[in-house]
Amino acid sequence: MTRQSHDRLVEVTIGPDREVLDLHIADSALRRGDGRAIAQTVLSLIAEAQAEFSQTAQAEYQRITGLRIDPGALEGRDGPAVLGRLSRELFGG
C-alpha cells in the first residue's frame, strides 16, 4: 500500500505487516529545510496507509468469508501480527 503527500514530494509504501517498506522524499522537499514538517508528513502518510490497508483487509475478509473482523482484535501489541497473517492469507506473500 503506497501513499503520497498532496504535493507528491513524499511517498511511503507499507507491507502486509504494516511495516514501512519504502520511503521517498524528493530533493526539493529536503531543500526547503523544514525537517519537522517532512517528519510529520511521513508519519501521517504511514498512518493513512496503515489505516487504508486495515480497511482493505477487513473488507476483503468480509467479502470472502461473510464475517467481519472485530477491530478490537487488531488493537494492541499483537494487532499488526494478526493483520499481517490475515493479509498474507488473503493477498499472498
Side-chain angles (χ1 to χ4, degrees):
M1 177 77 44
T2 299
R3 298 291 294 189
Q4 274 187 340
S5 60
H6 295 291
D7 57 11
R8 300 184 183 270
L9 297 178
V10 179
E11 181 178 283
V12 173
T13 301
I14 65 163
D17 287 323
R18 298 174 18 144
E19 76 281 17
V20 176
L21 296 178
D22 192 29
L23 171 63
H24 174 75
I25 302 172
D27 290 340
S28 58
L30 296 172
R31 283 193 289 274
R32 291 181 185 171
D34 190 355
R36 205 171 268 229
I38 292 170
Q40 185 58 46
T41 298
V42 168
L43 292 174
S44 293
L45 290 173
I46 290 170
E48 289 174 21
Q50 289 174 337
E52 184 177 345
F53 190 89
S54 294
Q55 291 171 353
T56 300
Q58 288 177 24
E60 188 65 8
Y61 181 81
Q62 184 174 6
R63 185 187 70 77
I64 291 169
T65 66
L67 304 171
R68 289 190 47 80
I69 297 172
D70 174 11
L74 300 178
E75 299 292 330
R77 189 183 72 213
D78 297 329
V82 170
L83 185 59
R85 285 192 304 273
L86 174 62
S87 64
R88 282 190 297 280
E89 289 175 19
L90 292 174
F91 306 116

